[in-house]
Amino acid sequence: MKIAFIGLGNMGAPMARNLIRAGHQLHLFDLNQQVLAELAELGSRISESPKHAAQGADLVITMLPAAAHVRAVYLNDDGVLAGISAGVPAVDCSTIDPQTIRDVAAAAAKQGVVVGDAPVSGGTGGAQAGTLTFMVGASLEHFTVLKPILAQMGRNIVHCGDVGTGQIAKICNNMLLGISMIGVAEAMALGNSLGIDTGVLATIINSSTGRCWSSEMYNPWPGVVETAPASRGYTGGFGAELMLKDLGLATEAAKAAHQPVLMGALAQQLYQAMSLRGDGGKDFSAVVEAYIKKEN
Amino acid sequence: MKIAFIGLGNMGAPMARNLIRAGHQLHLFDLNQQVLAELAELGSRISESPKHAAQGADLVITMLPAAAHVRAVYLNDDGVLAGISAGVPAVDCSTIDPQTIRDVAAAAAKQGVVVGDAPVSGGTGGAQAGTLTFMVGASLEHFTVLKPILAQMGRNIVHCGDVGTGQIAKICNNMLLGISMIGVAEAMALGNSLGIDTGVLATIINSSTGRCWSSEMYNPWPGVVETAPASRGYTGGFGAELMLKDLGLATEAAKAAHQPVLMGALAQQLYQAMSLRGDGGKDFSAVVEAYIKKEN
Amino acid sequence: MKIAFIGLGNMGAPMARNLIRAGHQLHLFDLNQQVLAELAELGSRISESPKHAAQGADLVITMLPAAAHVRAVYLNDDGVLAGISAGVPAVDCSTIDPQTIRDVAAAAAKQGVVVGDAPVSGGTGGAQAGTLTFMVGASLEHFTVLKPILAQMGRNIVHCGDVGTGQIAKICNNMLLGISMIGVAEAMALGNSLGIDTGVLATIINSSTGRCWSSEMYNPWPGVVETAPASRGYTGGFGAELMLKDLGLATEAAKAAHQPVLMGALAQQLYQAMSLRGDGGKDFSAVVEAYIKKEN
Amino acid sequence: MKIAFIGLGNMGAPMARNLIRAGHQLHLFDLNQQVLAELAELGSRISESPKHAAQGADLVITMLPAAAHVRAVYLNDDGVLAGISAGVPAVDCSTIDPQTIRDVAAAAAKQGVVVGDAPVSGGTGGAQAGTLTFMVGASLEHFTVLKPILAQMGRNIVHCGDVGTGQIAKICNNMLLGISMIGVAEAMALGNSLGIDTGVLATIINSSTGRCWSSEMYNPWPGVVETAPASRGYTGGFGAELMLKDLGLATEAAKAAHQPVLMGALAQQLYQAMSLRGDGGKDFSAVVEAYIKKEN
């Protein structure tokens, strides 16, 4: 297939490589000329604009940093909708608010183009290994078209409902993750200061009603889970700034929907405080450090 | 064995019945004469005081509502320590703060008596069925003595460390549970108001990083988990007032330890608000109702 | 003077009337034809676009609902900057985020136009009576030019610093107001439930370290301050939805600045919960109702 | 008058001195022999127990660290109620929970003794200078008796209602104070990070709806209020540990009354976090330091 791939950053570039490896011909667009040159060596075509990339493509995939980029890439005069043919499917893999992608899809629908959303989880490691999870918001028909292509970049391709629901699933899950992690951090730190062994406490929690992914797989207390970032200095995981981005999307969407999220908002502020302390680059589980008395 | 059993409320009475069934002879004490009479029919001895119950017993078990009762039952002039023989083991199954049981254990140690703590989870259903979980704070030697007896009242007998750690494990786990439940409530309500199907959202969360016991086994959204209280009008589970008791113990212990628990404190206040609204008798997962727009 | 006045809503229309009364000739622009017609009867000119309004004006004033409108009104092809002459001062009285007005001012500066910000407090009552407070972000020179004109619409004209600081002052003050009000609500409700007379409690607070504008002038407990909305069913004051707008601006600005605002975010969520309950149209002091047990 | 004065710590000792200076004869009791010896040199009698102190006294005043001490000093076998004559008035100036003093008063009433509560504000400086504020919970008749004596130790003697209301007034006011201070801290820090001059911001807030004692008299930003602890390294004011004590009393009382205090609880946790960081000895306004980026 001829696939337009727009947005070749830390996530987009390895995703595009996996499509090239799968035998597709890509129309690439990005502002970063170096990454374009590298991918062009693998046989892809470099495009001058999103419009140009979309022209003649059988499918359009976008992977961009924020909502403003998505609007621009699709709706500007030289955007995707100016070049795409009626009936060609498109999917945006960015993590943005649900309303933006719904607006873009509504604009596209007027010219017979169907746009879905498919934000991912799994990080740059998953993008390179082709093991991402895609949370797909699309009609069932559109999902059926997208699934085999997405499966060449990921392992779990989950249908969440109509366009926008991929974003909703992601921000709801990640808001809960952000809350759970702080909950585990508080429980572990409280147990530690009261005098229980933290390994024993984690074992008890993990076989009881407090168990959650954050306690079992990603425990923030150093040494409890060998493979977790906490056991290697809070490096190499899901950075606090990325968690902040997702919590920002969640509280913004909640605001627009007049939906209170007290715990979600408190979680956002606690990661924000972590960022102020200069620890935004650490794995988000380092939020536990605010609960541990520093030795002098 | 001759077992002194003090405290025969909703939890203590069925626990005592299970010990009688297992063939032990019980020395019973409680202020409620009716329950005493009922249990005496099964062949147990009624005692006039905790001291009297402890006299001649091979083991002392207490199951009381709050720390003040535990202090009084052990330390008063007619209390357990006035009647118990040196070398006889004792265990308190109440859910109280860790410091109280440590104080009682220290007082008991002066006369050669070892006291441990073994708070339970599993509710009145588990007490009747003999399937409780006991979180035991005791020396390894003491734990070895207690374990076979506790196993006649429960299924999981977990050693948490020295005396007090049973309470610590319980309040840390339940604080995390209280937080997670509200996190799930906010995530489900946000997803619902943004337009994703709540069953689909729960499925995605449960296979992703947001998964936790509260989302998988006890989801607060009606209809998502058939066996959960949410699917039967929030009845018959773990009442919000009981969660409030445990969160109160957690934040009190945190205060004494100079340990911040921001999410734990916010959770306590949100269940408190639920109590103010008159819903303290509902299952604690009904906290989700504060996040759902009422139809008029 | 010839003054372009763009944005004639609930606030802008009475402000424009006061300028007309003061003898100025206005170039009016709004999408609402009815209000244009009414004001035209007073001798003002109706313009076809912001650009048209700015042409030939000695001063440009804008009063718009949100940041997107401000960007459009100044920067669009038919916007203010397309019509304004170099050297003509402009001031935006909308309540928006500080960054947007700084961006607009930077764009204007390229063509020799100075734009300041002057958000107001005082509500529609103050707009009609000409008693608004203007918080002005502008160079001292620009402030000196604006002050006499603003003084024809308001009573207190406060210089906050360079462009953007008017918005900053407003959102910081209003975030504190939103927090204080809930603090007063909790203190009054706690005192009431513990058994002190609420009038006595308010008097004590107001002569002690807890005193604040929300307790003295605007106490949320019914009957404590005769002139406060609480004493007339929470009508006719500063609506909760307006408070939500300002708290949204505050937490958004905080997010962009990597600045935690835990209390500010919690306040936002509590007014959001009030909005979910259907009370967003009440005065913001009605937040106290969440703390009062309903009689059945 | 012969006055029994029990509890001669940092507050009690200077209060007792002021009564001695006013010409009263004191019956002193404390566990600290050194302070007893110092005060005895001024002509007071040393007593062997609270009972002994109360014997023959015309008035009993107590000033103790916590509720447990108040219960013991009044109710123990050698306590005040064992020595006091019927008709002799008593007043407890400790800061404790309202229920304890109500319990003590109920016990005293059985033997014809009236006990009131009169917690103070003003700190050790006010105790020495005789400028304390007393918040008095007592019947009007009892208040009339106490007022002239309290006036020899303080400047403002405020009648709050029946016994217990003094404590209620104090904890409600101080909870609001603790919240307001953090609100001011967040507003000042947000303004600073967004780029407004903090002195200008404080001036605007203090003439607007955000104004409160914490912003006007005790602004936490260094240099804004010359006489505030923030301008002398957060020394010599109201320590964070004292604020924590009062917030602990407030949230405990709220728990007992089934009254949610979300902001109060969050404030408690934020001062608790300050304590964990090792800053509990600083003035409570140093809570602002958590909001300021540290330079490296």
Side-chain angles (χ1 to χ4, degrees):
Chain A
M1 285 176 73
K2 292 180 183 168
I3 301 177
F5 202 110
I6 298 163
L8 299 157
N10 291 334
M11 294 296 291
M15 289 165 69
R17 277 179 210 274
N18 280 328
L19 291 178
I20 294 170
R21 276 191 207 113
H24 300 290
Q25 187 187 337
L26 266 60
H27 300 183
L28 302 171
F29 181 76
D30 197 280
L31 298 178
N32 180 332
Q33 296 302 319
Q34 190 183 335
V35 70
L36 283 176
E38 288 171 18
L39 287 169
E41 288 181 14
L42 302 176
S44 297
R45 192 187 93 182
I46 295 179
S47 306
E48 294 160 17
S49 67
K51 173 182 174 178
H52 183 210
Q55 285 169 338
D58 304 312
L59 172 70
V60 174
I61 299 176
T62 51
M63 185 61 172
L64 300 155
H69 307 95
V70 175
R71 283 189 190 274
V73 157
Y74 279 89
L75 306 179
N76 275 5
D77 290 347
D78 63 350
V80 167
L81 296 190
I84 197 169
S85 304
V88 169
V91 63
D92 177 49
C93 298
S94 319
T95 294
I96 59 169
D97 65 286
Q99 195 54 49
T100 292
I101 195 64
R102 283 168 168 168
D103 291 348
V104 166
K110 290 179 186 164
Q111 60 186 79
V113 170
V114 181
V115 178
D117 59 317
V120 303
S121 68
T124 54
Q128 286 160 13
T131 58
L132 293 168
T133 293
F134 287 87
M135 285 161 272
V136 187
S139 68
L140 190 55
E141 187 184 351
H142 191 39
F143 176 71
T144 307
V145 172
L146 295 175
K147 190 175 178 181
I149 308 295
L150 297 177
Q152 293 171 335
M153 300 182 286
R155 185 178 288 163
N156 300 303
I157 319 299
V158 186
H159 188 212
C160 302
D162 285 338
V163 64
T165 57
Q167 302 297 348
I168 296 169
K170 181 166 184 187
I171 64 179
C172 290
N173 180 76
N174 283 15
M175 184 179 79
L176 177 52
L177 170 62
I179 293 168
S180 299
M181 178 55 77
I182 300 177
V184 174
E186 293 192 356
M188 295 298 295
L190 177 58
N192 180 62
S193 71
L194 293 176
I196 195 171
D197 178 84
T198 49
V200 170
L201 178 57
T203 302
I204 293 168
I205 287 173
N206 290 340
S207 63
S208 185
T209 52
R211 74 177 161 76
C212 55
W213 185 89
S214 296
S215 62
E216 285 182 287
M217 308 300 289
Y218 215 85
N219 199 294
W221 202 268
V224 168
V225 173
E226 277 307 308
T227 55
S231 297
R232 54 174 190 263
Y234 301 105
T235 58
F238 183 57
E241 295 293 354
L242 288 171
M243 175 52 82
L244 272 170
K245 180 191 171 189
D246 291 355
L247 286 168
L249 290 170
T251 54
E252 277 299 288
K255 182 169 73 174
H258 288 244
Q259 182 65 45
V261 285
L262 290 94
M263 286 266 174
L266 180 56
Q268 182 181 8
Q269 297 302 320
L270 290 170
Y271 294 108
Q272 190 68 60
M274 185 179 160
S275 174
L276 185 80
R277 291 192 299 271
D279 294 334
K282 292 187 184 176
D283 180 75
F284 79 116
S285 64
V287 73
V288 76
E289 293 182 321
Y291 294 94
I292 302 175
K293 197 177 178 68
K294 286 223 180 67
E295 304 299 332
N296 292 314
Chain B
M1 285 177 75
K2 292 180 183 168
I3 302 176
F5 201 111
I6 299 162
L8 299 158
N10 291 336
M11 293 295 291
M15 288 164 69
R17 277 178 210 276
N18 281 328
L19 291 179
I20 293 170
R21 276 191 208 113
H24 301 290
Q25 187 188 338
L26 266 59
H27 299 183
L28 302 170
F29 181 76
D30 197 280
L31 298 178
N32 181 333
Q33 296 301 319
Q34 190 183 337
V35 70
L36 282 175
E38 288 170 18
L39 289 169
E41 288 182 13
L42 304 175
S44 298
R45 194 187 91 182
I46 296 179
S47 305
E48 294 159 16
S49 66
K51 173 183 173 178
H52 184 212
Q55 284 168 339
D58 304 313
L59 173 68
V60 174
I61 300 176
T62 50
M63 187 61 172
L64 300 155
H69 307 95
V70 175
R71 283 190 190 274
V73 157
Y74 279 90
L75 305 179
N76 276 5
D77 290 346
D78 64 350
V80 168
L81 295 190
I84 197 168
S85 303
V88 169
V91 63
D92 177 49
C93 298
S94 318
T95 293
I96 59 170
D97 65 287
Q99 194 54 48
T100 292
I101 195 62
R102 283 168 168 168
D103 291 349
V104 167
K110 290 180 186 164
Q111 59 186 79
V113 169
V114 181
V115 178
D117 60 315
V120 305
S121 68
T124 54
Q128 286 160 13
T131 57
L132 294 169
T133 291
F134 286 88
M135 286 162 272
V136 187
S139 68
L140 191 54
E141 189 184 349
H142 192 40
F143 176 71
T144 308
V145 172
L146 296 175
K147 189 174 180 182
I149 308 295
L150 298 177
Q152 292 170 336
M153 300 180 286
R155 186 178 288 162
N156 299 304
I157 320 299
V158 186
H159 189 212
C160 303
D162 285 338
V163 63
T165 56
Q167 301 297 347
I168 296 169
K170 181 165 183 188
I171 63 179
C172 290
N173 180 77
N174 283 16
M175 183 179 80
L176 177 52
L177 171 62
I179 293 168
S180 299
M181 179 55 78
I182 300 176
V184 174
E186 294 191 355
M188 295 297 297
L190 177 58
N192 180 63
S193 71
L194 293 175
I196 194 171
D197 178 84
T198 50
V200 170
L201 177 57
T203 301
I204 293 168
I205 286 173
N206 290 338
S207 63
S208 184
T209 52
R211 74 174 161 78
C212 55
W213 184 88
S214 296
S215 63
E216 286 181 287
M217 307 299 290
Y218 213 87
N219 199 295
W221 203 268
V224 168
V225 174
E226 278 307 309
T227 55
S231 297
R232 52 173 191 265
Y234 302 105
T235 58
F238 183 57
E241 295 293 353
L242 287 172
M243 175 52 84
L244 271 171
K245 181 193 171 188
D246 291 354
L247 286 169
L249 290 170
T251 54
E252 277 300 286
K255 183 170 74 175
H258 288 242
Q259 182 64 44
V261 285
L262 289 93
M263 287 267 175
L266 180 57
Q268 182 181 7
Q269 296 303 319
L270 290 169
Y271 293 108
Q272 191 68 63
M274 185 179 161
S275 174
L276 185 79
R277 289 192 301 270
D279 293 335
K282 292 186 183 176
D283 180 75
F284 80 116
S285 64
V287 72
V288 76
E289 294 182 321
Y291 295 94
I292 302 175
K293 197 177 179 69
K294 288 222 179 67
E295 305 299 333
N296 293 314
Chain C
M1 286 177 72
K2 292 180 183 167
I3 300 177
F5 202 110
I6 298 161
L8 299 158
N10 291 335
M11 293 295 292
M15 289 165 69
R17 277 179 208 274
N18 280 327
L19 290 179
I20 294 169
R21 277 191 206 113
H24 301 289
Q25 186 186 338
L26 266 58
H27 300 181
L28 303 170
F29 180 77
D30 197 279
L31 298 178
N32 180 333
Q33 297 302 318
Q34 189 183 336
V35 70
L36 283 175
E38 287 171 18
L39 288 168
E41 288 181 13
L42 303 176
S44 297
R45 191 188 93 182
I46 295 179
S47 307
E48 295 159 16
S49 66
K51 172 183 174 178
H52 183 211
Q55 285 169 338
D58 304 313
L59 172 70
V60 173
I61 299 177
T62 51
M63 186 60 171
L64 299 154
H69 307 95
V70 175
R71 283 189 190 274
V73 158
Y74 279 90
L75 306 179
N76 275 5
D77 290 348
D78 65 349
V80 168
L81 296 190
I84 197 169
S85 304
V88 169
V91 63
D92 177 51
C93 298
S94 318
T95 293
I96 59 170
D97 65 287
Q99 194 54 48
T100 291
I101 195 63
R102 284 168 168 167
D103 292 348
V104 166
K110 291 179 186 164
Q111 60 186 81
V113 170
V114 181
V115 178
D117 60 316
V120 305
S121 68
T124 53
Q128 286 159 13
T131 58
L132 294 169
T133 291
F134 287 87
M135 287 161 271
V136 187
S139 69
L140 190 54
E141 188 183 351
H142 191 40
F143 175 73
T144 307
V145 172
L146 297 174
K147 191 175 179 181
I149 308 295
L150 297 177
Q152 292 170 336
M153 300 180 285
R155 185 179 288 161
N156 299 303
I157 320 298
V158 185
H159 189 213
C160 303
D162 285 338
V163 64
T165 58
Q167 301 297 348
I168 296 169
K170 181 165 184 189
I171 64 178
C172 290
N173 180 76
N174 282 16
M175 184 179 78
L176 177 52
L177 170 62
I179 293 168
S180 299
M181 179 54 79
I182 300 177
V184 174
E186 293 192 357
M188 296 297 296
L190 177 58
N192 180 63
S193 71
L194 294 176
I196 196 172
D197 178 86
T198 50
V200 169
L201 178 58
T203 303
I204 293 168
I205 286 173
N206 290 339
S207 64
S208 185
T209 51
R211 73 175 163 77
C212 54
W213 184 88
S214 295
S215 63
E216 286 182 288
M217 308 300 288
Y218 214 86
N219 199 293
W221 203 267
V224 169
V225 173
E226 277 308 308
T227 55
S231 297
R232 53 174 190 265
Y234 302 106
T235 59
F238 183 57
E241 295 293 352
L242 287 172
M243 174 52 82
L244 270 171
K245 180 191 171 188
D246 290 355
L247 285 169
L249 290 170
T251 54
E252 277 299 288
K255 183 169 73 174
H258 288 242
Q259 181 65 44
V261 285
L262 288 95
M263 286 267 177
L266 180 57
Q268 182 181 7
Q269 296 302 320
L270 290 170
Y271 293 108
Q272 190 68 60
M274 185 179 161
S275 174
L276 185 79
R277 289 192 300 270
D279 293 334
K282 292 187 184 176
D283 180 75
F284 79 116
S285 64
V287 73
V288 76
E289 294 181 321
Y291 295 94
I292 302 175
K293 196 176 178 70
K294 287 220 179 67
E295 304 300 332
N296 293 316
Chain D
M1 285 178 73
K2 291 180 185 167
I3 301 177
F5 202 111
I6 298 162
L8 300 158
N10 291 336
M11 294 295 292
M15 289 165 68
R17 277 178 210 275
N18 281 327
L19 291 179
I20 293 169
R21 276 191 207 112
H24 300 290
Q25 187 189 337
L26 266 60
H27 299 183
L28 302 171
F29 180 76
D30 197 281
L31 298 178
N32 180 334
Q33 296 302 318
Q34 191 183 336
V35 70
L36 282 176
E38 287 171 18
L39 287 169
E41 287 181 15
L42 303 175
S44 297
R45 192 188 93 181
I46 296 180
S47 306
E48 294 159 17
S49 66
K51 172 184 175 179
H52 184 211
Q55 285 169 337
D58 304 313
L59 173 69
V60 174
I61 300 176
T62 51
M63 186 61 170
L64 299 155
H69 307 95
V70 175
R71 283 190 190 274
V73 157
Y74 278 90
L75 305 180
N76 276 4
D77 290 347
D78 65 348
V80 167
L81 295 190
I84 196 168
S85 303
V88 168
V91 63
D92 177 51
C93 298
S94 318
T95 293
I96 59 170
D97 65 288
Q99 195 53 48
T100 291
I101 195 63
R102 284 168 167 167
D103 292 347
V104 166
K110 291 179 186 165
Q111 59 185 79
V113 169
V114 181
V115 178
D117 61 314
V120 304
S121 68
T124 53
Q128 286 160 14
T131 58
L132 294 169
T133 291
F134 287 87
M135 285 161 272
V136 187
S139 68
L140 191 54
E141 188 183 352
H142 191 39
F143 176 72
T144 308
V145 172
L146 296 174
K147 190 174 180 182
I149 308 295
L150 297 176
Q152 291 170 335
M153 300 181 285
R155 185 178 289 161
N156 299 304
I157 321 297
V158 185
H159 189 211
C160 302
D162 285 337
V163 63
T165 56
Q167 302 297 348
I168 296 169
K170 182 166 183 188
I171 64 179
C172 290
N173 180 77
N174 283 16
M175 184 179 80
L176 177 52
L177 170 61
I179 293 168
S180 300
M181 178 55 77
I182 300 177
V184 174
E186 293 192 356
M188 295 297 296
L190 177 58
N192 180 64
S193 71
L194 294 176
I196 195 173
D197 178 85
T198 49
V200 170
L201 177 57
T203 301
I204 293 168
I205 286 173
N206 290 339
S207 63
S208 185
T209 52
R211 74 175 161 78
C212 55
W213 184 88
S214 296
S215 63
E216 285 181 289
M217 308 298 289
Y218 214 86
N219 199 294
W221 203 268
V224 168
V225 174
E226 277 308 308
T227 55
S231 298
R232 52 174 192 265
Y234 302 105
T235 59
F238 183 56
E241 295 294 353
L242 287 172
M243 175 52 84
L244 270 172
K245 181 192 169 187
D246 291 355
L247 286 169
L249 289 170
T251 54
E252 278 299 287
K255 182 170 72 175
H258 287 242
Q259 182 65 44
V261 285
L262 289 93
M263 286 266 177
L266 181 57
Q268 182 180 8
Q269 297 302 320
L270 290 169
Y271 294 109
Q272 191 67 62
M274 184 179 162
S275 174
L276 185 79
R277 290 192 300 270
D279 293 335
K282 292 186 183 176
D283 181 74
F284 81 116
S285 64
V287 73
V288 76
E289 293 181 321
Y291 295 94
I292 303 175
K293 198 178 178 67
K294 287 221 179 67
E295 304 299 333
N296 293 315

